[in-house]
Amino acid sequence: MMLTPDLLLRAYAAGIFPMAESAASDELMWFDPPMRGIMPLDGFHVPRRLRRTIRQQPFTVRCDSAFRGVMEACAESGPGRPQTWINGDILDAYCRLHALGFAHSVECWAGDRLVGGLYGVALGAAFFGESMFSRATDASKVALVHLVARLRAGGYTLLDTQFVTEHLAQFGSVEIPRARYKALLTEALRRPARFQSEEDEGVLVSAFLQSITQTS
Protein backbone atom coordinates (compact mmCIF):
# COMPACT_ATOMS: atom_id res chain seq x y z
CA MET A 1 0.00 0.00 0.00
CA MET A 2 1.46 3.33 -1.05
CA LEU A 3 1.84 5.86 1.75
CA THR A 4 -0.05 8.89 0.50
CA PRO A 5 -1.00 12.16 2.22
CA ASP A 6 -4.68 11.16 2.11
CA LEU A 7 -3.95 7.81 3.76
CA LEU A 8 -1.88 9.51 6.46
CA LEU A 9 -4.58 12.06 7.23
CA ARG A 10 -7.27 9.39 7.47
CA ALA A 11 -5.03 7.33 9.76
CA TYR A 12 -4.29 10.24 12.08
CA ALA A 13 -7.97 11.15 12.25
CA ALA A 14 -8.62 7.56 13.40
CA GLY A 15 -5.83 7.69 15.98
CA ILE A 16 -3.41 5.48 14.04
CA PHE A 17 0.18 6.28 13.04
CA PRO A 18 2.83 4.50 10.95
CA MET A 19 6.43 3.55 11.65
CA ALA A 20 8.89 1.59 9.55
CA GLU A 21 10.65 -1.41 11.03
CA SER A 22 13.89 0.48 10.42
CA ALA A 23 15.24 3.26 8.22
CA ALA A 24 16.47 0.61 5.77
CA SER A 25 13.23 -1.40 5.73
CA ASP A 26 10.41 -1.06 3.21
CA GLU A 27 7.91 -2.57 5.65
CA LEU A 28 5.47 -0.21 7.40
CA MET A 29 3.72 -0.97 10.66
CA TRP A 30 0.60 0.81 11.91
CA PHE A 31 0.09 1.55 15.61
CA ASP A 32 -2.95 2.18 17.78
CA PRO A 33 -1.50 1.51 21.26
CA PRO A 34 -3.76 0.73 24.24
CA MET A 35 -2.05 3.52 26.22
CA ARG A 36 -1.27 6.76 24.42
CA GLY A 37 1.22 9.45 25.30
CA ILE A 38 -0.01 13.03 25.31
CA MET A 39 1.44 16.34 26.51
CA PRO A 40 -1.25 18.30 28.37
CA LEU A 41 -0.95 21.79 26.95
CA ASP A 42 -2.34 23.37 30.12
CA GLY A 43 0.09 21.44 32.32
CA PHE A 44 3.33 21.80 30.39
CA HIS A 45 6.35 22.10 32.67
CA VAL A 46 9.54 23.96 31.74
CA PRO A 47 12.46 23.14 34.07
CA ARG A 48 14.08 26.19 35.64
CA ARG A 49 17.47 25.62 33.99
CA LEU A 50 15.83 25.37 30.57
CA ARG A 51 13.96 28.63 31.18
CA ARG A 52 17.30 30.34 31.76
CA THR A 53 18.68 28.80 28.57
CA ILE A 54 15.70 29.99 26.52
CA ARG A 55 16.02 33.53 27.86
CA GLN A 56 19.67 33.54 26.74
CA GLN A 57 18.44 32.80 23.18
CA PRO A 58 21.30 30.47 22.16
CA PHE A 59 19.51 29.57 18.93
CA THR A 60 17.53 31.23 16.19
CA VAL A 61 14.19 29.42 16.11
CA ARG A 62 12.22 29.13 12.88
CA CYS A 63 9.23 27.15 11.68
CA ASP A 64 8.80 25.36 8.36
CA SER A 65 12.00 26.70 6.80
CA ALA A 66 13.76 23.30 6.58
CA PHE A 67 11.11 20.62 7.00
CA ARG A 68 12.92 17.96 4.97
CA GLY A 69 16.20 18.77 6.71
CA VAL A 70 14.57 18.20 10.10
CA MET A 71 13.14 14.87 8.96
CA GLU A 72 16.48 13.76 7.54
CA ALA A 73 18.19 14.66 10.82
CA CYS A 74 15.55 12.74 12.79
CA ALA A 75 16.15 9.74 10.53
CA GLU A 76 19.89 9.64 11.29
CA SER A 77 21.19 7.03 13.71
CA GLY A 78 23.42 8.16 16.54
CA PRO A 79 24.48 7.53 20.14
CA GLY A 80 21.57 6.06 22.07
CA ARG A 81 19.56 5.28 18.93
CA PRO A 82 21.40 2.97 16.54
CA GLN A 83 18.24 2.58 14.44
CA THR A 84 15.39 4.88 13.53
CA TRP A 85 11.95 4.21 12.08
CA ILE A 86 11.92 6.87 9.34
CA ASN A 87 12.46 5.25 5.95
CA GLY A 88 12.39 6.78 2.48
CA ASP A 89 8.64 6.28 2.00
CA ILE A 90 7.85 8.02 5.28
CA LEU A 91 10.24 10.86 4.48
CA ASP A 92 8.67 11.49 1.06
CA ALA A 93 5.06 11.14 2.27
CA TYR A 94 5.46 13.58 5.15
CA CYS A 95 7.24 16.07 2.92
CA ARG A 96 4.18 15.94 0.67
CA LEU A 97 1.99 16.51 3.75
CA HIS A 98 4.15 19.52 4.58
CA ALA A 99 3.70 20.91 1.06
CA LEU A 100 -0.07 20.62 1.58
CA GLY A 101 0.13 22.52 4.88
CA PHE A 102 -0.58 19.61 7.24
CA ALA A 103 2.95 18.93 8.55
CA HIS A 104 5.24 21.40 10.27
CA SER A 105 8.73 21.71 11.68
CA VAL A 106 10.23 23.76 14.48
CA GLU A 107 13.94 24.34 13.95
CA CYS A 108 16.85 25.58 16.07
CA TRP A 109 19.67 27.21 14.13
CA ALA A 110 23.17 28.22 15.19
CA GLY A 111 24.16 30.60 12.44
CA ASP A 112 23.51 28.69 9.23
CA ARG A 113 23.65 25.26 10.93
CA LEU A 114 20.50 23.32 11.76
CA VAL A 115 21.29 22.03 15.25
CA GLY A 116 17.95 20.76 16.53
CA GLY A 117 14.27 20.53 15.88
CA LEU A 118 11.11 18.49 15.63
CA TYR A 119 8.28 17.84 13.23
CA GLY A 120 4.70 16.66 13.34
CA VAL A 121 1.26 16.67 11.76
CA ALA A 122 -1.50 19.21 12.42
CA LEU A 123 -5.14 18.30 11.95
CA GLY A 124 -7.93 20.41 13.41
CA ALA A 125 -6.82 21.40 16.91
CA ALA A 126 -4.64 18.29 17.28
CA PHE A 127 -0.90 18.19 16.75
CA PHE A 128 0.78 14.81 16.40
CA GLY A 129 4.43 15.04 17.38
CA GLU A 130 6.53 12.63 15.35
CA SER A 131 10.23 12.95 16.12
CA MET A 132 12.92 15.33 17.31
CA PHE A 133 16.69 15.59 17.14
CA SER A 134 19.49 17.55 18.75
CA ARG A 135 23.03 18.32 17.62
CA ALA A 136 23.59 20.95 20.33
CA THR A 137 22.82 20.95 24.05
CA ASP A 138 19.11 21.60 24.75
CA ALA A 139 18.26 22.27 21.08
CA SER A 140 15.40 19.77 20.90
CA LYS A 141 14.10 20.95 24.28
CA VAL A 142 14.06 24.56 23.12
CA ALA A 143 12.21 23.48 19.97
CA LEU A 144 9.60 21.68 22.09
CA VAL A 145 8.96 24.75 24.24
CA HIS A 146 8.55 26.87 21.11
CA LEU A 147 6.14 24.26 19.71
CA VAL A 148 3.96 24.27 22.82
CA ALA A 149 3.93 28.07 22.94
CA ARG A 150 2.79 28.12 19.31
CA LEU A 151 0.12 25.46 19.86
CA ARG A 152 -1.33 27.24 22.87
CA ALA A 153 -1.41 30.55 21.02
CA GLY A 154 -2.99 28.91 17.98
CA GLY A 155 -5.90 27.28 19.80
CA TYR A 156 -4.73 23.66 19.83
CA THR A 157 -6.19 21.36 22.47
CA LEU A 158 -4.27 18.08 21.95
CA LEU A 159 -0.54 17.38 21.63
CA ASP A 160 -0.08 13.69 20.88
CA THR A 161 3.39 12.34 21.77
CA GLN A 162 2.46 8.73 20.87
CA PHE A 163 4.59 7.29 23.67
CA VAL A 164 6.01 8.68 26.92
CA THR A 165 9.79 8.78 27.11
CA GLU A 166 12.00 9.95 29.97
CA HIS A 167 12.82 13.00 27.85
CA LEU A 168 9.13 13.92 27.47
CA ALA A 169 8.10 13.01 31.02
CA GLN A 170 10.14 15.88 32.45
CA PHE A 171 7.82 18.28 30.60
CA GLY A 172 4.64 16.62 31.88
CA SER A 173 3.86 14.00 29.23
CA VAL A 174 1.46 11.33 30.51
CA GLU A 175 -0.16 8.11 29.30
CA ILE A 176 -3.92 7.85 28.94
CA PRO A 177 -6.13 4.91 27.86
CA ARG A 178 -6.98 4.57 24.18
CA ALA A 179 -10.67 5.37 24.77
CA ARG A 180 -9.82 8.62 26.54
CA TYR A 181 -7.37 9.54 23.79
CA LYS A 182 -9.95 8.90 21.07
CA ALA A 183 -12.46 11.13 22.88
CA LEU A 184 -9.91 13.96 23.10
CA LEU A 185 -8.99 13.43 19.45
CA THR A 186 -12.61 13.53 18.29
CA GLU A 187 -13.14 16.80 20.12
CA ALA A 188 -9.90 18.31 18.79
CA LEU A 189 -10.73 17.41 15.20
CA ARG A 190 -13.94 19.45 15.45
CA ARG A 191 -12.08 22.60 16.44
CA PRO A 192 -10.20 25.07 14.24
CA ALA A 193 -6.63 25.97 15.09
CA ARG A 194 -3.78 27.86 13.47
CA PHE A 195 -0.16 26.75 13.48
CA GLN A 196 1.31 29.83 11.82
CA SER A 197 1.69 32.91 13.99
CA GLU A 198 2.31 36.56 13.20
CA GLU A 199 4.11 36.96 16.54
CA ASP A 200 7.90 37.06 16.69
CA GLU A 201 9.25 33.76 18.06
CA GLY A 202 10.92 35.47 21.01
CA VAL A 203 7.78 37.42 21.92
CA LEU A 204 5.62 34.30 21.58
CA VAL A 205 7.77 32.21 23.90
CA SER A 206 8.37 34.99 26.41
CA ALA A 207 4.61 35.46 26.78
CA PHE A 208 4.14 31.72 27.14
CA LEU A 209 6.81 31.38 29.84
CA GLN A 210 5.29 34.33 31.69
CA SER A 211 1.83 32.75 31.52
CA ILE A 212 2.92 29.41 32.96
CA THR A 213 4.95 31.16 35.68
CA GLN A 214 1.82 32.98 36.78
CA THR A 215 -0.28 29.81 36.85
CA SER A 216 2.27 27.44 38.40
Side-chain angles (χ1 to χ4, degrees):
M1 180 183 297
M2 183 178 179
L3 194 60
T4 64
D6 180 66
L7 177 60
L8 282 171
L9 292 176
R10 286 190 285 116
Y12 278 106
I16 303 168
F17 59 90
M19 298 174 75
E21 186 173 355
S22 71
S25 172
D26 293 331
E27 182 179 350
L28 282 181
M29 300 174 289
W30 294 89
F31 292 87
D32 183 12
M35 298 295 292
R36 190 66 160 249
I38 67 165
M39 185 74 74
L41 292 171
D42 58 357
F44 187 73
H45 172 68
V46 182
R48 187 172 300 169
R49 186 187 66 80
L50 182 59
R51 288 181 189 236
R52 290 198 298 268
T53 298
I54 291 170
R55 290 189 177 106
Q56 292 166 1
Q57 299 184 345
F59 312 113
T60 299
V61 181
R62 304 175 193 155
C63 291
D64 290 340
S65 72
F67 183 85
R68 190 178 190 93
V70 169
M71 280 203 71
E72 289 173 343
C74 289
E76 293 175 356
S77 58
R81 58 171 192 180
Q83 292 190 15
T84 69
W85 52 268
I86 301 171
N87 66 7
D89 288 342
I90 287 177
L91 178 62
D92 290 341
Y94 282 80
C95 284
R96 292 198 297 273
L97 264 190
H98 170 64
L100 293 171
F102 291 104
H104 301 282
S105 60
V106 180
E107 310 134 17
C108 288
W109 296 82
D112 60 356
R113 292 189 305 117
L114 180 61
V115 296
L118 56 83
Y119 77 95
V121 174
L123 199 56
F127 190 90
F128 308 87
E130 284 297 315
S131 188
M132 60 177 61
F133 79 99
S134 189
R135 295 171 178 161
T137 302
D138 290 337
S140 63
K141 295 177 182 179
V142 170
L144 179 60
V145 174
H146 276 256
L147 171 68
V148 172
R150 184 171 288 264
L151 296 183
R152 293 221 334 189
Y156 286 82
T157 60
L158 176 64
L159 173 51
D160 175 7
T161 65
Q162 299 176 351
F163 305 105
V164 175
T165 64
E166 183 179 347
H167 178 74
L168 293 172
Q170 66 184 303
F171 296 99
S173 184
V174 297
E175 282 188 330
I176 59 174
R178 179 192 289 137
R180 175 61 179 154
Y181 170 76
K182 294 291 178 71
L184 292 174
L185 175 60
T186 298
E187 179 63 25
L189 293 176
R190 294 191 183 116
R191 295 174 176 266
R194 183 182 180 189
F195 186 83
Q196 301 299 341
S197 173
E198 295 178 0
E199 288 277 9
D200 172 79
E201 282 292 331
V203 173
L204 191 70
V205 170
S206 292
F208 168 61
L209 292 177
Q210 183 65 28
S211 72
I212 62 176
T213 297
Q214 292 171 348
T215 58
S216 60

